[in-house]
């Protein structure tokens, strides 16, 4: 065995401390699973299969809470591909929606796309790890549908105004936005998906 000098111990201690700090402040590992990567990569440049309550296995999956994404997760090419394919799915001219949540395409992650009817051009925007940190007591009743609940509509009572807090989909910066009206309804509907809740659970009337 080699004799360990005091200098050597100091050097090793420094390396250990730097490595520990390094892994804590700059965690570069991603949490995408091989199943998720396989599903997102299965057919690039096409819409994804919509998971619906008509299918027993899909229905169970849609009821599971989704997992958050890390900064490393959103820096992976797989996240860009997921966003592209979610957008193709929600804008499919044969089955259009105004919002979509990742679990609706079989990815149990906290990502939603919302059509911003309150912005010029009404763009779809993505939100990572979204939370509604304020819901107004003042409510409005409106008709909703869902890509995962085919051939049904229901009237749901929702807050008129919400504050959504989220990680920016490219910088991961924590941001918040105050949203009103129909767009606020979409945010409530889509964030419900991330906790496994469907609008039919809250609807006062269904048809
Ligand atoms: Ni929905």
């Amino acid at each position: 065995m080699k004799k360990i000098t005091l200098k050597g111990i100091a050097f090793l201690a420094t390396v250990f401390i730097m490595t520990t700090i390094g892994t804590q402040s700059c965690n570069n590992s991603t949490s995408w699973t091989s199943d998720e990567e396989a599903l997102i990569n299965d057919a690039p440049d096409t819409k994804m299969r919509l998971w619906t309550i008509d299918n027993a296995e899909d229905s169970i999956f849609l009821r599971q809470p989704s997992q958050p994404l890390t900064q490393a997760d959103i820096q992976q090419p797989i996240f860009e591909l997921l966003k592209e394919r979610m957008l193709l799915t929600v804008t499919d001219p044969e089955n259009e929606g105004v919002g979509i949540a990742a679990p609706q395409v079989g990815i149990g992650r906290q990502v939603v796309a919302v059509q911003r009817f309150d912005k010029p051009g009404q763009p779809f925007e993505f939100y990572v790890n979204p939370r509604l940190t304020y819901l107004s007591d003042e409510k409005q009743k409106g008709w909703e549908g869902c890509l995962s609940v085919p051939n049904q509509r229901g009237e749901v009572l929702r807050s008129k105004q919400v504050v959504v807090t989220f990680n920016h989909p490219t910088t991961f910066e924590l941001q918040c936005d105050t949203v009103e009206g129909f767009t606020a309804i979409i945010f409530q509907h889509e964030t419900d998906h991330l906790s496994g809740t469907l609008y039919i659970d809250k609807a006062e009337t269904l048809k």
Side-chain angles (χ1 to χ4, degrees):
M1 193 191 265
K2 251 184 167 179
K3 197 177 169 190
I4 301 171
T5 62
L6 259 181
K7 230 180 185 178
I9 291 169
F11 173 76
L12 286 173
T14 309
V15 169
F16 174 76
I17 290 165
M18 285 177 74
T19 311
T20 310
I21 291 170
T23 51
Q24 279 173 355
S25 61
C26 189
N27 187 346
N28 213 27
S29 63
T30 83
S31 63
W32 293 107
T33 67
S34 52
D35 283 353
E36 287 170 334
E37 291 192 348
L39 186 56
I40 297 166
N41 272 318
D42 71 352
D45 304 323
T46 64
K47 65 179 180 183
M48 297 178 82
R49 182 177 78 80
L50 271 173
W51 292 41
T52 70
I53 59 164
D54 292 352
N55 174 305
E57 282 178 22
D58 290 4
S59 193
I60 291 167
F61 183 79
L62 287 165
R63 296 313 197 155
Q64 308 299 314
S66 294
Q67 301 305 308
L69 287 175
T70 65
Q71 183 162 17
D73 290 334
I74 70 158
Q75 289 167 344
Q76 304 305 308
I78 198 80
F79 180 62
E80 285 307 308
L81 189 55
L82 173 63
K83 286 191 292 178
E84 280 169 33
R85 297 193 68 198
M86 281 175 67
L87 197 56
L88 285 171
T89 311
V90 73
T91 58
D92 175 11
E94 286 175 17
N95 190 19
E96 270 182 316
V98 294
I100 191 166
Q104 294 183 270
V105 292
I107 301 295
R109 297 302 192 128
Q110 296 176 13
V111 188
V112 301
V114 170
Q115 188 168 11
R116 294 298 301 255
F117 287 95
D118 54 342
K119 290 188 177 182
Q122 305 182 342
F124 275 93
E125 291 184 351
F126 281 88
Y127 299 88
V128 172
N129 304 327
R131 305 263 181 285
L132 298 182
T133 46
Y134 167 78
L135 291 138
S136 69
D137 289 335
E138 200 183 349
K139 305 210 175 189
Q140 59 191 341
K141 226 188 244 183
W143 287 92
E144 294 180 29
C146 179
L147 294 171
S148 293
V149 185
N151 308 316
Q152 270 199 76
R153 296 189 71 74
E155 211 174 11
V156 188
L157 191 64
R158 302 275 195 188
S159 290
K160 274 194 167 175
Q161 191 186 59
V162 299
V163 173
V164 57
T165 303
F166 57 94
N167 291 111
H168 189 276
T170 50
T171 64
F172 206 69
E173 190 190 342
L174 197 62
Q175 297 187 332
C176 62
D177 200 354
T178 302
V179 188
E180 295 177 337
F182 185 51
T183 309
I185 292 178
I186 305 172
F187 270 106
Q188 289 168 82
H189 179 116
E190 300 310 332
T191 52
D192 271 354
H193 272 295
L194 303 182
S195 58
T197 301
L198 300 175
Y199 83 90
I200 47 175
D201 305 338
K202 296 181 169 179
E204 295 182 355
T205 44
L206 281 171
K207 67 181 184 186

